[in-house]
Amino acid sequence: MNKLLLLPVLVLAGAGTWTARAAEPQTTQPEKSHEMVVNTSKRTATVQPTMYGIFFEDINYAADGGLYAELVKNRSFEFPDHYMGWNIFGNVELHDDGPFERNPHYVRLGSSGHNYKYTGLENEGFFGIGYAANAEYRFTVWARVPEGGEATLTVMLCDPSTQSERQQFAETRLKIDSPEWKQYEAVLKADRTVDRGTLRLMLRGTTPVDLEHVSLFPVDTWRGHRNGMRKDLAQALADLHPGVFRFPGGCIVEGTDLGTRYQWKNSVGQVENRPLNENRWHYTFTHRFFPDYFQSYGLGFYEYFLLAEEIGAEPLPVVNVGLACQFQNKTGHAAVDELQPYIDDVLDLIEFANGNPSENRWAALRAEMGHPEPFGLKFVAIGNEQWGEIYPEHLKPFVEQVRAKYPEIKLIGSSGPESEGEKFDYLWPEMRKLGADLVDEHFYRPEKWFLTQGNRYDNYPRKGTKVFAGEYACHGRGKKWNHFEAALCEAAFMTGLERNADVVEMATYAPLFAHIDGWQWRPDLIWFDNLRSFRSCSYYVQQLFACNRGTHVLPLTMDGRVVSGQEGQKGLFASAVIDDNRHEIMVKVVNTSSEEQPLSLRFDGKALRKGRAYEIVATTFTADDPDGENTLDQPERYIPVTGAPQSIAGNRFETIVTPKSVNLYRIAL
Ligand code: AHR
């Protein structure tokens, strides 16, 4: 029997907001339903608030050129090619005795000696500078008149590609009148949208002027912070409601060699004096080569802790364990007896996050930067994708010293770069021996892997060291990347994480961000260009799980078995949780098959009272084409759709699960 049901639907328009959308048809009535049974009286595990989180690494221009809202590239003239990103004209000289010790270079603009021949410079930004109509931009520069007098600098926001009379569409003049270095500032308003603009500076007159740390930010950053984050991208993170925030890598923690590893101490303090580091993603792939990709550390550890706090996520920094990237280095690691400076970096980082400003210089720096209260750091990961005997040997002294001083901090070790195999099998027992609180597992694997790993954690030991699925993404076959099917496979797998929340305490998809013109690695969760961004199908899966995490796992079975895509389960995956704060039961059912699947969802146990009427709200995430994906032009082509509440008779809900769909059923108690 076929029946056509017309249901009014609501559309997820951001965290917690739902908008009405036209009714859509639903088809077919079940012939024979799969019966899934939720036992509402038994709680098998506590779901940690950290369960679903985010992992940020400066890859794909995620920081400079991305989340970090600075629009000027090479603002301190410290790139190895000091004028990279700049066009210079007239009489421009490079000097290296500037006011910032760790970024000593600056430029001197002098008279060109001719009328109508100007001295100046122009910055191309990261893939151009994006200007939005009516938005304001804050220009700042450190400057001085080295020979005294008064110089005038014209600051212009330009659109070099325009055919109109003037390339500049906003302009202001700054008087530089001090022979001492001083910061000058001006706010300019764009009167049009330009996606690949420039910033042009011109010297007027003949008085020489020195310029250092030339910066341009949108005034409207995330939470209005100076040195802040791009608002749409930070909002996308906030809308995920992440429980945990891993940072800053990834491979960049290790460095191509130890000299280029991420050193958090270089990323804090006055932003003008944070030394530049290379970014290994500039050259790691010669087929995606970006010679202008460096780390300014403008988005450093202070900004990270602050953002984590503001979006409600527990910070989880990753620190170097004295090993350079093992893919690229057989030697060049620190010897075990040379590890103390690396260990001190970890101890000092804990102080920077949590210490008392009157007792510790790193805590005092945090207070000076604007946050006297502690950030409440609870986790530290030591090492990224390390492997072999060298790793536990190195990790041991870190564990001993951090434990001795900060027993409350949970420590996370690595299981290597692979999801299984020799390296993985060796490291897990080693991590247990060292008493790691969690072990970080990484899997960038194809669809098939995700579909056969729904029960990966069912037989993990329930006691002792827990799992942090710290980097994962379904890497689709062929040219498919952030397509719907990849997100579907991730959702199927995530039901297995959730069912095993007593073992898996956190999970973070990777990588997080990618600039459409500057990516090195895909798929990625959030894509952007200079002005726009979109959230991938995988993003919506992450959001659906994170916003409906629950507080405890409830047993859910089909024919007496957990639902993890096993033989005879027709590609169905499912998990159920109860939320003691929201007073809701939430069931997630993922149908990875191409068939409609009739489903009868039965709620046994005490949570649903006899004789009382209940309603279910169903959200479905599906796509007309499993290879389809969201794009900058169609950012919401695929988003979860929520229907109107439906009454259920007694303790049973009958429905039909759409082919290839992720479904959430919420029942308010
Ligand atoms: O997420 C991209 C990279 O993948 C990370 O830097 C690394 O940890 C892993 O190999």
Side-chain angles (χ1 to χ4, degrees):
M1 178 174 62
N2 275 346
K3 205 195 229 173
L4 194 72
L5 297 171
L6 277 178
L7 295 175
V9 291
L10 299 172
V11 178
L12 175 61
T17 37
W18 304 84
T19 53
R21 201 194 228 189
E24 284 177 10
Q26 303 215 334
T27 49
T28 60
Q29 186 73 351
E31 292 297 340
K32 184 176 178 313
S33 292
H34 301 286
E35 186 177 58
M36 288 189 196
V37 181
V38 181
N39 180 348
T40 67
S41 294
K42 194 171 167 200
R43 291 153 183 241
T44 53
T46 299
V47 187
Q48 297 302 320
T50 50
M51 184 68 179
Y52 303 111
I54 52 177
F55 161 49
F56 181 96
E57 177 171 21
D58 192 1
I59 182 172
N60 306 320
Y61 288 82
D64 292 296
L67 179 62
Y68 182 49
E70 172 64 86
L71 296 167
V72 175
K73 180 167 72 188
N74 190 15
R75 61 189 174 187
S76 293
F77 308 99
E78 295 300 335
F79 283 18
D81 168 356
H82 296 284
Y83 289 130
M84 189 177 250
W86 295 97
N87 269 330
I88 55 169
F89 27 94
N91 178 6
V92 180
E93 287 172 8
L94 184 74
H95 289 251
D96 65 0
D97 57 347
F100 304 111
E101 202 190 335
R102 300 200 288 181
N103 287 320
H105 291 91
Y106 64 94
V107 289
R108 174 162 300 167
L109 311 191
S111 164
S112 71
H114 294 275
N115 284 343
Y116 307 112
K117 186 169 169 187
Y118 295 97
T119 291
L121 62 170
E122 180 164 30
N123 194 273
E124 66 186 23
F126 302 88
F127 313 102
I129 295 179
Y131 294 112
N134 299 319
E136 290 184 319
Y137 295 88
R138 180 179 287 114
F139 170 82
T140 56
V141 65
W142 285 82
R144 67 173 178 181
V145 275
E147 293 168 11
E150 193 174 277
T152 303
L153 190 69
T154 308
V155 182
M156 289 174 266
L157 311 187
C158 295
D159 176 6
S161 69
T162 185
Q163 294 306 314
S164 71
E165 181 78 2
R166 293 157 70 85
Q167 292 176 330
Q168 69 266 40
F169 52 87
E171 180 175 323
T172 192
R173 288 181 190 179
L174 277 179
K175 278 209 180 338
I176 315 296
D177 54 6
S178 166
E180 304 305 324
W181 286 102
K182 235 173 76 178
Q183 195 178 33
Y184 295 81
E185 178 177 322
V187 171
L188 296 97
K189 189 169 182 176
D191 67 352
R192 69 198 67 175
T193 294
V194 175
D195 61 354
R196 286 173 195 269
T198 61
L199 170 72
R200 190 178 293 163
L201 308 176
M202 297 279 224
L203 176 69
R204 298 183 67 86
T206 53
T207 307
V209 65
D210 290 345
L211 304 179
E212 161 64 314
H213 198 89
V214 183
S215 170
L216 186 72
F217 274 81
V219 171
D220 192 17
T221 54
W222 163 258
R223 302 253 170 137
H225 294 307
R226 285 198 167 217
N227 194 50
M229 304 300 132
R230 202 174 122 170
K231 202 175 180 182
D232 60 330
L233 300 183
Q235 189 62 54
L237 300 184
D239 290 348
L240 275 171
H241 294 275
V244 70
F245 189 167
R246 181 176 184 247
F247 175 95
C251 293
I252 66 167
V253 165
E254 300 155 80
T256 296
D257 46 42
L258 283 177
T260 57
R261 73 189 188 278
Y262 193 106
Q263 298 193 51
W264 76 266
K265 287 174 179 164
N266 290 341
S267 81
V268 294
Q270 189 181 7
V271 73
E272 290 87 344
N273 208 18
R274 300 181 191 172
L276 187 82
N277 194 5
E278 67 164 41
N279 189 320
R280 54 167 293 146
W281 298 110
H282 142 182
Y283 52 75
T284 299
F285 303 125
T286 47
H287 56 280
R288 298 288 304 169
F289 195 71
F290 294 92
D292 65 349
Y293 196 6
F294 289 83
Q295 299 181 77
S296 71
Y297 288 144
L299 193 183
F301 259 81
Y302 178 82
E303 292 76 18
Y304 155 60
F305 282 134
L306 188 65
L307 181 60
E309 182 176 86
E310 288 173 345
I311 63 177
E314 293 293 347
L316 192 170
V318 186
V319 294
N320 187 291
V321 67
L323 298 173
C325 175
Q326 289 175 264
F327 286 111
Q328 287 158 325
N329 298 274
K330 293 244 176 314
T331 57
H333 307 299
V336 174
D337 61 4
E338 295 167 349
L339 286 175
Q340 198 53 47
Y342 296 80
I343 299 172
D344 288 343
D345 277 354
V346 185
L347 305 175
D348 292 340
L349 179 63
I350 296 170
E351 287 296 333
F352 178 72
N354 293 352
N356 181 341
S358 56
E359 287 170 4
N360 179 278
R361 63 180 273 237
W362 294 107
L365 177 61
R366 183 193 74 233
E368 199 184 294
M369 291 181 77
H371 204 287
E373 310 77 28
F375 280 117
L377 179 67
K378 300 190 180 89
F379 304 96
V380 175
I382 305 172
N384 177 44
E385 289 181 342
Q386 321 302 161
W387 68 79
E389 285 173 22
I390 196 171
Y391 176 48
E393 276 165 18
H394 276 61
L395 184 57
K396 192 164 181 269
F398 283 81
V399 173
E400 286 167 355
Q401 291 195 40
V402 178
R403 286 265 187 260
K405 216 166 164 200
Y406 308 103
E408 70 285 3
I409 295 283
K410 289 199 170 182
L411 295 179
I412 299 165
S414 163
S415 60
E418 286 145 23
S419 51
E420 47 265 305
E422 211 179 299
K423 295 184 178 99
F424 183 92
D425 293 342
Y426 167 73
L427 279 178
W428 253 103
E430 292 297 318
M431 293 302 108
R432 284 186 194 283
K433 261 191 255 165
L434 283 173
D437 296 293
L438 293 110
V439 167
D440 182 6
E441 297 188 355
H442 292 182
F443 15 86
Y444 296 105
R445 309 288 277 124
E447 288 92 340
K448 199 170 157 209
W449 186 91
F450 277 84
L451 296 180
T452 52
Q453 295 285 314
N455 52 4
R456 177 180 177 91
Y457 297 108
D458 292 5
N459 297 315
Y460 265 51
R462 311 326 275 184
K463 292 218 158 59
T465 305
K466 306 293 181 193
V467 172
F468 170 31
E471 291 184 29
Y472 70 95
C474 175
H475 280 209
R477 281 163 284 125
K479 292 253 181 295
K480 298 183 275 175
W481 297 103
N482 273 120
H483 60 302
F484 177 79
E485 181 116 26
L488 180 74
C489 294
E490 287 152 9
F493 175 73
M494 287 169 78
T495 59
L497 302 181
E498 192 160 276
R499 272 192 303 100
N500 288 286
D502 54 334
V503 170
V504 184
E505 295 199 340
M506 21 177 125
T508 54
Y509 179 99
L512 188 55
F513 283 120
H515 193 297
I516 212 98
D517 295 326
W519 59 269
Q520 297 85 44
W521 182 296
R522 61 182 181 182
D524 304 286
L525 209 59
I526 301 162
W527 287 82
F528 57 91
D529 66 7
N530 290 343
L531 290 169
R532 301 171 296 167
S533 57
F534 74 88
R535 302 163 181 198
S536 66
C537 291
S538 295
Y539 175 99
Y540 287 107
V541 164
Q542 293 293 322
Q543 189 184 48
L544 189 136
F545 276 74
C547 293
N548 299 283
R549 170 176 51 80
T551 52
H552 299 87
V553 180
L554 300 176
L556 180 153
T557 51
M558 191 167 82
D559 305 324
R561 294 190 298 167
V562 297
V563 193
S564 57
Q566 300 161 61
E567 195 68 37
Q569 295 189 321
K570 292 201 166 172
L572 286 172
F573 295 73
S575 56
V577 291
I578 188 164
D579 193 309
D580 284 343
N581 306 317
R582 271 159 54 173
H583 304 291
E584 276 187 8
I585 289 176
M586 291 163 272
V587 180
K588 295 163 191 115
V589 178
V590 181
N591 181 6
T592 61
S593 80
S594 306
E595 315 290 319
E596 279 186 341
Q597 306 235 29
L599 174 69
S600 178
L601 200 53
R602 203 180 84 207
F603 298 90
D604 283 358
K606 293 191 186 128
L608 270 68
R609 299 212 200 113
K610 274 214 175 90
R612 202 155 139 183
Y614 290 94
E615 287 183 328
I616 274 205
V617 177
T619 299
T620 300
F621 187 30
T622 189
D624 52 1
D625 172 9
D627 286 351
E629 56 187 334
N630 291 333
T631 61
L632 282 172
D633 293 328
Q634 284 186 291
E636 296 197 341
R637 181 166 172 203
Y638 301 114
I639 57 171
V641 171
T642 293
Q646 301 173 60
S647 304
I648 60 169
N651 65 344
R652 194 183 283 275
F653 174 63
E654 308 280 354
T655 190
I656 295 166
V657 188
T658 310
K660 294 199 184 281
S661 65
V662 183
N663 303 274
L664 167 73
Y665 303 104
R666 289 185 296 137
I667 180 161
L669 297 174

